[in-house]
Structure formats: structure tokens, C-alpha cells
């Protein structure tokens, strides 16, 4: 249907250059935004407003659509996005925060889950087996450590560090509207 400005809400500011666990729940009447396991905002469906349901638009993580085109892209990192078929309670959300992107969710209501472990390409697999694979639009930077990774413990030119052997690294994807991409061209000057 038509855009409804009253249905759009703005939550609190997100910390810059720090991992923040975000979760949103919707039970048909009430939407709750969670930041790092704590309620950060709550909105109710206006009295008398018709119920909302998902339309035919594609699901976008890290952007939203304007007139059918992805816009307002996220400048940030994402790790282990997941969608559930039920409203998670505070305890379940706290467990996902504590997992720090290192363990996969196991709730039976899980509809789709992308571990982002591909580390290359523009396709992401849905680990639930429900077939909701995704496509990365507008590129993205792989090989980003997840929420549990402390990059300050690895030297910039540390050739002894092997990300595949680091159990705290995790997987994440950086989305940046102004990111540079390695075209693989031969260097002419260094």
C-alpha cells in the first residue's frame, strides 16, 4: 500500500565503531527494539489502525527500499543475521548477545539464518535449509572479524596470525557505501 509516515519510527542512536547487538520483535500490536539485550524502544500499533503485514517487497538487510530500489544503505558491519517465526523473549535475546556471533542459533522457530561464513562472493547461504539464500547488492567487504574478535590483539603486518585457526574471529560482512574494491589490477607504482 501507500507509504504511511506514522508507521515509521526512529530508535535511539547506535554506538559508532562498536559492535551492537540489535534485535527487533513484532507481535502484531507492539514493536520492540533491543540493543545489547536491553529494551531500547517500544511502539504500539495506533488505536484503530489496520493490522500490518509484510508485502511483496524483498527483504533487505542493511538497506531499505524506495520505489522498489535499495536505498539508504547501512555503513556498518553485520554478523549472523537471523529471522524467527515467533517473538523472542528477553532471555533468548540475551543468549544471542552472549553468543557474540560465534554459535549458531538453534531455536526451532528459526526461519532463516545467514552465518556469513562464505568469506567471498556475492551469495550468502541460509543455514536453516529453508532455502532463503541471499544476494549481496552493492558489494561488501569480507574477512571482517565478528563481535567477539579483538583486532587490537593482531598486529597490522602479523604474518603468523591465521584467521582460520582463530576461534574468536567469527564472520562478518562490512557494508559501506563508499568502500573501495580491489579490481585485481597490476600495481604500477607502490
Amino acid at each position: 500500500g501507500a507509504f504511511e509516515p506514522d508507521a515509521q519510527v526512529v530508535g535511539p542512536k547506535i554506538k559508532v565503531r562498536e559492535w551492537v547487538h540489535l534485535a527487533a520483535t513484532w507481535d502484531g500490536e507492539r514493536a520492540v527494539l533491543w540493543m545489547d539485550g536491553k529494551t531500547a524502544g517500544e511502539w504500539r500499533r495506533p488505536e484503530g489502525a489496520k493490522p500490518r503485514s509484510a508485502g511483496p517487497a524483498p527483504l533487505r538487510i542493511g538497506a531499505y527500499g524506495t520505489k522498489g530500489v535499495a536505498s539508504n544503505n547501512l555503513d556498518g558491519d553485520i554478523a549472523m543475521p537471523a529471522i524467527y517465526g515467533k517473538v523472542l523473549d528477553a532471555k533468548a535475546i540475551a543468549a544471542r548477545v552472549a553468543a557474540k556471533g560465534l554459535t549458531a542459533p538453534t531455536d526451532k522457530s528459526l526461519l532463516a539464518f545467514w552465518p556469513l561464513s562464505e568469506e567471498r562472493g556475492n551469495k550468502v547461504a541460509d543455514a536453516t535449509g529453508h532455502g532463503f539464500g541471499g544476494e549481496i547488492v552493492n558489494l561488501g567487504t569480507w574477512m571482517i572479524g565478528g563481535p567477539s574478535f579483538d583486532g587490537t590483539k593482531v598486529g597490522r603486518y602479523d604474518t603468523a596470525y591465521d584467521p582460520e585457526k582463530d576461534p574468536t574471529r567469527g564472520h562478518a560482512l562490512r557494508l559501506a557505501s563508499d568502500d573501495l574494491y580491489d579490481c585485481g589490477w597490476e600495481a604500477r607504482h607502490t
Side-chain angles (χ1 to χ4, degrees), residues 57-68:
L59 170 68
R60 292 183 173 95
I61 298 173
Y64 64 80
T66 302
K67 296 182 180 176

Side-chain angles (χ1 to χ4, degrees), residues 44-97:
R44 293 198 171 274
R45 183 168 59 121
E47 189 72 35
K50 28 179 218 184
R52 305 248 183 328
S53 60
L59 170 68
R60 292 183 173 95
I61 298 173
Y64 64 80
T66 302
K67 296 182 180 176
V69 178
S71 62
N72 291 310
N73 298 312
L74 170 72
D75 279 319
D77 300 345
I78 58 171
M80 283 200 175
I83 299 175
Y84 297 81
K86 70 174 186 181
V87 174
L88 296 183
D89 61 19
K91 184 178 177 184
I93 291 172
R96 293 308 309 146
V97 173

Side-chain angles (χ1 to χ4, degrees), residues 14-29:
I14 297 175
K15 300 173 203 166
V16 177
R17 299 192 188 282
E18 240 180 82
W19 277 102
V20 177
H21 182 277
L22 294 175
T25 59
W26 168 250
D27 65 7
E29 296 293 325

Side-chain angles (χ1 to χ4, degrees), residues 5-184:
D6 295 344
Q8 188 173 13
V9 295
V10 177
K13 269 190 139 173
I14 297 175
K15 300 173 203 166
V16 177
R17 299 192 188 282
E18 240 180 82
W19 277 102
V20 177
H21 182 277
L22 294 175
T25 59
W26 168 250
D27 65 7
E29 296 293 325
R30 184 175 69 123
V32 179
L33 177 66
W34 301 79
M35 288 177 63
D36 290 332
K38 296 178 179 75
T39 302
E42 185 175 326
W43 301 270
R44 293 198 171 274
R45 183 168 59 121
E47 189 72 35
K50 28 179 218 184
R52 305 248 183 328
S53 60
L59 170 68
R60 292 183 173 95
I61 298 173
Y64 64 80
T66 302
K67 296 182 180 176
V69 178
S71 62
N72 291 310
N73 298 312
L74 170 72
D75 279 319
D77 300 345
I78 58 171
M80 283 200 175
I83 299 175
Y84 297 81
K86 70 174 186 181
V87 174
L88 296 183
D89 61 19
K91 184 178 177 184
I93 291 172
R96 293 308 309 146
V97 173
K100 290 190 169 242
L102 291 176
T103 57
T106 57
D107 193 289
K108 299 240 186 286
S109 71
L110 196 61
L111 299 176
F113 161 59
W114 303 274
L116 304 178
S117 56
E118 291 83 1
E119 299 288 357
R120 65 184 53 87
N122 68 343
K123 302 286 186 204
V124 291
D126 173 14
T128 65
H130 295 150
F132 293 111
E135 180 179 359
I136 300 169
V137 179
N138 200 30
L139 302 175
T141 302
W142 288 108
M143 300 296 290
I144 303 297
S148 62
F149 178 68
D150 182 0
T152 63
K153 293 183 177 177
V154 180
R156 183 171 180 167
Y157 301 105
D158 184 355
T159 58
Y161 176 74
D162 183 353
E164 291 183 14
K165 293 180 180 172
D166 182 352
T168 67
R169 183 177 165 276
H171 301 283
L173 178 67
R174 177 160 294 150
L175 301 174
S177 58
D178 63 349
D179 205 0
L180 298 175
Y181 187 79
D182 182 2
C183 297

